[in-house]
Amino acid sequence: QATWLDWLELRALWDTVLSRLLADAPPPLRRAFPIVYQEASRKETGRVLVSAFAVASLYPRLFHALSSSLAAAFALCYVIVAVATRSLALASLATATVAGVIGSVLGAAQLCGVELGIREMCGVAVMAGFSFDYALHLATAYRAAPPSRAGKSPTREERVAFAAVHMGPTLLGGALTTCGSLLFMFGCEFPFLLSLSHLVTAAVGLNAVQAVFLFLPLCAVFGPERLG
């Protein structure tokens, strides 16, 4: 099956041929433009015809919009985590964790043969925002660790243990309830909601796992010990 990159290459070749043909055409015919229809099957409407060139031309714009939205989301969330924890190190570790989650979801989709289409791009844009929620809660718990019995500042290991005990079960419980509610969307016939449910469920599961088993170990190794 042809991808949107194939359709764009075909559109470029067709435009070249058409421009040569229209150069010698009468003036009223020089405004012609190509239309190529592609048959698509949908449960709710049956077989329909869609303009392959028109749909393919949307992908570069949507990909640019997705890249811009991800960059803005990462930058804004980095600032929020840095302000909430007053630590650039924790903000950097949280951003790296979320980047790993999004990369894992996109990589898994690629391995499963899922093309990055319009629905998937919308899902990834939504995914970036709520993915920081898990790392943010653990980062604030890491910062809120109480002093040791000797009155000294807690070590990295003590901060990680405090965050894991006091915030880990809450995050895992929240992830389970979110995934449980998304299971009802798996029966949707609307393709956008079905794809969104798959992406969000995978993102929530990976967020919970990587927040506990990646973010906290990173904090144990690279996290700050003294927080003012």
Side-chain angles (χ1 to χ4, degrees), residues 69-95:
S69 63
L70 285 179
F74 272 89
L76 181 60
C77 292
Y78 180 90
V79 173
I80 292 175
V81 177
V83 171
T85 61
R86 285 182 284 179
S87 172
L88 295 179
L90 291 177
S92 301
L93 295 178
T95 303

Side-chain angles (χ1 to χ4, degrees), residues 122-139:
C122 295
V124 173
V126 174
M127 188 193 313
F130 70 81
S131 295
F132 274 89
D133 186 52
Y134 295 84
L136 175 61
H137 281 77
L138 288 176

Side-chain angles (χ1 to χ4, degrees), residues 83-222:
V83 171
T85 61
R86 285 182 284 179
S87 172
L88 295 179
L90 291 177
S92 301
L93 295 178
T95 303
T97 302
V98 174
V101 170
I102 296 178
S104 300
V105 173
L106 293 179
Q110 182 69 24
L111 292 176
C112 295
V114 178
E115 184 183 354
L116 187 62
I118 297 176
R119 298 189 296 266
E120 289 73 21
M121 290 184 188
C122 295
V124 173
V126 174
M127 188 193 313
F130 70 81
S131 295
F132 274 89
D133 186 52
Y134 295 84
L136 175 61
H137 281 77
L138 288 176
T140 54
Y142 179 93
R143 174 180 174 76
S148 61
R149 294 182 178 179
K152 298 181 180 180
S153 177
T155 62
R156 294 191 186 99
E157 292 76 11
E158 292 173 341
R159 290 182 181 277
V160 168
F162 179 84
V165 171
H166 290 80
M167 191 58 66
T170 303
L171 291 183
L172 293 178
L176 289 176
T177 55
T178 303
C179 291
S181 62
L182 288 170
L183 290 178
F184 293 96
M185 295 179 62
F186 278 49
C188 292
E189 295 185 356
F190 189 53
F192 176 78
L193 293 179
L194 185 60
S195 299
L196 185 63
S197 65
H198 293 166
L199 285 174
V200 174
T201 302
V204 169
L206 283 174
N207 265 300
V209 172
Q210 293 199 23
V212 176
F213 298 103
L214 177 61
F215 177 71
L216 289 182
L218 288 176
C219 290
V221 177
F222 303 107

